[in-house]
Amino acid sequence: MFESVAVVGATGAVGTIILKLLEQRDFPAKQFTFLASARSAGSTLKFKDEDYTVKELTKDCFAGIELVIASTPDDTAAEFLPAAIQAGAKVIDESGYFRMKPDVALVVPEINPDAALNAKGIISSPNCSTTQMVLALKPLHDAATVKRVVVSTYQATSGAGLQGNRDLEAGSRAHLAGETYEYKAFAHPIAFNAIPQIGSHKEAGYTSEEMKMVYETRKILGDDSIQISATCVRIPVSNCHSEVIMVETERPVSPEEARDLFSNFPGLTVVDDLGNGVYPMPSTCDGSDETFIGRIRKDISHPNGLTFWCVSDNLRKGAATNAVQIAELLAKHR
Ligand SMILES: NC(=O)c1ccc[n+]([C@@H]2O[C@H](COP(=O)([O-])OP(=O)(O)OC[C@H]3O[C@@H](n4cnc5c(N)ncnc54)[C@H](OP(=O)(O)O)[C@@H]3O)[C@@H](O)[C@H]2O)c1
């Protein structure tokens, strides 16, 4: 039980789901505070049938707060979250700013809960495209040691926050009406298009989003030897990221064994019946806290290769659900 919890970025795409989850899962806390920028300060949020006024995030707003769950842009997290730690709060952060710092725990509760329990400072939640992939890799890695991964993502517009979905809707309407629309969250039109760049150019022709999948996966699995090549693509789907994941393991893993490993791992659900046209899709996974796997097959191009399709709600397990699960873990072990 926590006395007092603050949700930072409570008005955003992720923050809104965090509120829903805290309410639905009856998170054990006595007092809640909801924070956002000066733009939303003074607006009202409904939580557990009560009206709460959104307060402005400042460096001195953390007095008396025991737990902070934050989902803001990186620069906001960098500026304000150290003040929360200084004020004595536990901090769970969705942003990318702290994740790879050596003293920061990067946590998926099904995989490395101890990292959260032993954390001295900020606990980061991984990038959404990493979380679903690492959940799928973990049982394979434990059983047969993952050596190499080639992953291609098909990422939803909600991954770019509330503005991402506003752009998808308004851009699609404009496109159908033969009008122009000025996109704010994307550098190119996303309606009726696919954009093979998420994040900025980072290194060796890869983007920042792609390199997050490399470094974050190694950190969470505690194995720097895993070779990963990612291509991240934004597609005109409003919610749920999809991924084609091709894995090379130390010994061959048959599709039947993989199905068993996935089915027995917490948070994973196998939906796989190609003959009957049954597999996970964004439209069927939207709103679920599970990560779904289908199209499981032997990679016919490699003796130790396995290929599958993985879909997860990026706002839920890719962000809010993961953060709330970490918070529940901390509450349970207080
Ligand atoms: N969307 C995803 O699928 C996803 C998945 C994993 C991680 N993340 C990460 O989670 C974070 C939030 O993403 P989002 O998709 O929820 O974005 P979003 O919809 O744009 O929401 C951003 C939130 O941050 C607040 N904020 C922005 N600038 C602020 C400032 N200067 N001071 C205080 N609050 C400020 C906004 O408040 P206002 O309403 O006042 O503007 C809003 O509540 C990002 O770091 C993102 O990379 C997102």
Side-chain angles (χ1 to χ4, degrees):
M1 163 74 83
F2 285 97
E3 285 295 317
S4 171
V5 174
V7 179
V8 178
T11 51
V14 175
T16 306
I17 309 283
I18 288 174
L19 259 64
K20 259 193 208 168
L21 290 168
L22 292 174
E23 192 174 74
Q24 285 165 0
R25 295 161 80 115
D26 200 16
F27 186 77
K30 289 193 181 146
Q31 235 189 320
F32 292 89
T33 305
F34 301 122
L35 302 155
S37 78
R39 287 181 294 275
S40 312
S43 63
T44 305
L45 285 177
K46 257 272 184 276
F47 181 73
K48 293 191 174 179
D49 288 330
E50 271 183 54
D51 285 335
Y52 284 78
T53 303
V54 176
K55 295 187 181 148
E56 183 178 352
L57 174 66
T58 60
K59 284 185 186 160
D60 54 13
C61 68
F62 297 111
I65 304 279
E66 290 179 336
L67 174 70
V68 172
I69 309 177
S71 54
T72 67
D74 286 7
D75 53 350
T76 308
E79 186 179 347
F80 293 97
L81 296 187
I85 292 283
Q86 275 203 324
K90 289 269 178 201
V91 177
I92 301 165
D93 180 33
E94 291 286 0
S95 87
Y97 187 77
F98 298 99
R99 288 180 195 143
M100 289 312 298
K101 300 203 183 298
D103 55 342
V104 166
L106 183 60
V107 176
V108 176
E110 294 88 342
I111 299 176
N112 58 346
D114 288 349
L117 296 174
N118 298 330
K120 299 273 176 284
I122 287 172
I123 301 167
S124 282
S125 185
N127 183 41
C128 40
S129 44
T130 306
T131 301
Q132 67 187 81
M133 179 172 80
V134 88
L135 270 172
L137 293 182
K138 173 67 176 163
L140 296 175
H141 195 49
D142 285 349
T145 309
V146 172
K147 288 172 65 182
R148 178 168 178 252
V149 180
V150 179
V151 56
S152 302
T153 72
Y154 304 72
Q155 293 183 223
T157 50
S158 64
L162 288 175
Q163 187 58 44
N165 276 359
R166 285 187 206 119
D167 274 3
L168 176 63
E169 279 197 38
S172 300
R173 283 183 212 288
H175 182 91
L176 290 169
E179 295 162 359
T180 54
Y181 172 76
E182 202 173 313
Y183 286 86
K184 297 178 186 71
F186 307 109
H188 304 280
I190 188 61
F192 301 89
N193 199 13
I195 306 173
Q197 175 176 4
I198 302 181
S200 53
H201 177 236
K202 178 85 174 165
E203 59 190 82
Y206 287 86
T207 67
S208 52
E209 181 87 355
E210 289 158 357
M211 293 315 293
K212 282 178 194 174
M213 294 188 78
V214 176
Y215 297 133
E216 293 180 15
T217 297
R218 289 177 180 161
K219 181 166 177 172
I220 297 161
L221 293 180
D223 187 344
D224 284 344
S225 72
I226 302 175
Q227 299 302 304
I228 303 168
S229 177
T231 304
C232 293
V233 181
R234 186 78 67 193
I235 58 162
V237 157
S238 63
N239 198 35
C240 293
H241 292 347
S242 306
E243 299 178 353
V244 172
I245 305 176
M246 305 175 76
V247 180
E248 184 189 328
T249 44
E250 214 160 72
R251 63 164 176 85
V253 175
S254 69
E256 294 70 31
E257 182 184 0
R259 211 165 271 127
D260 267 3
L261 291 168
F262 292 142
S263 301
N264 290 316
F265 196 75
L268 293 180
T269 298
V270 172
V271 178
D272 192 19
D273 183 1
L274 178 61
N276 288 308
V278 176
Y279 24 70
M281 294 179 285
S283 61
T284 54
C285 301
D286 193 7
S288 173
D289 293 315
E290 287 284 289
T291 291
F292 296 88
I293 301 191
R295 298 296 320 277
I296 304 166
R297 61 205 190 272
K298 188 173 169 44
D299 176 351
I300 54 171
S301 73
H302 195 286
N304 290 6
L306 185 81
T307 296
F308 52 93
W309 170 250
C310 173
V311 183
S312 189
D313 185 328
N314 49 291
L315 293 179
R316 284 187 168 254
K317 186 56 190 170
T321 305
N322 199 61
V324 171
Q325 285 173 329
I326 296 170
E328 288 172 341
L329 191 65
L330 298 180
K332 196 172 149 197
H333 287 85
R334 257 167 88 77

